[in-house]
Amino acid sequence: MARFFPSIAQLAAFVLSAVLLTVLLIIASSQFALGALIQMGVSIPFAVRLDTTLHDLANMWPLITPIFGIGLLIAMIVAGFIARWVGILPDLVYALAGFAAVGVTIWALQALLQITAIAATRELEGVIVFCLVGGLTGYIYHRAAVRLSSTR
């Protein structure tokens, strides 16, 4: 019979991937916002870009982490079932699940709030970057879970 509760390795891998997802999404969001200002002709020195990014990291994580973390959690659970069922290319399954988790979360936020809550996702490029970050973190989740499981 399969285990119902996740292993310590899976929990650690999830925390790592959720933290990475949060950090990368906030950095991307900050850079898209600053890029929009630059397109309007505003000069933004590197020090201001760095300070703004650090400010956003310090202040946006309590909102971004639970919203996207729940989506990532659901996706990794479903990916676990799919990866066992398919039996091949589990890295790809988890990466696609992370990609989809972020895309569905963005879509759900827009449907629920009737606005685009995250400015970076107003354009297709932002949605793609956010989804690619989700794919990367899904892949990292699986690799970390495998590596942590094998070290026990």
Side-chain angles (χ1 to χ4, degrees):
M1 183 168 164
R3 217 178 44 245
F4 180 74
F5 293 105
S7 68
I8 298 297
Q10 289 171 318
L11 287 173
F14 179 76
V15 169
L16 171 70
S17 63
V19 167
L20 185 62
L21 177 69
T22 299
V23 168
L24 292 177
L25 289 182
I26 292 171
I27 290 170
S29 180
S30 296
Q31 297 312 308
F32 270 95
L34 292 170
L37 289 172
I38 291 169
Q39 285 181 343
M40 290 190 285
V42 177
S43 176
I44 301 176
F46 179 76
V48 173
R49 287 180 86 102
L50 183 61
D51 187 51
T52 302
T53 302
L54 293 174
H55 178 271
D56 287 350
L57 282 167
N59 293 290
M60 290 175 63
W61 73 265
L63 183 62
I64 298 294
T65 303
I67 291 171
F68 286 93
I70 290 169
L72 185 66
L73 176 64
I74 294 167
M76 295 304 101
I77 291 169
V78 171
F81 290 117
I82 293 172
R84 281 191 293 272
W85 178 61
V86 172
I88 59 170
L89 301 174
D91 289 342
L92 180 61
V93 171
Y94 282 96
L96 290 174
F99 186 96
V102 172
V104 168
T105 302
I106 291 168
W107 172 80
L109 282 172
Q110 289 175 343
L112 181 67
L113 303 175
Q114 297 296 308
I115 61 168
T116 304
I118 301 169
T121 61
R122 288 189 185 125
E123 301 291 330
L124 181 60
E125 298 86 21
V127 173
I128 291 170
V129 167
F130 269 51
C131 289
L132 288 172
V133 167
L136 174 66
T137 56
Y139 172 80
I140 288 172
Y141 164 78
H142 181 251
R143 298 307 316 150
V146 168
R147 174 148 311 177
L148 292 171
S149 294
S150 68
T151 60
R152 294 184 70 186

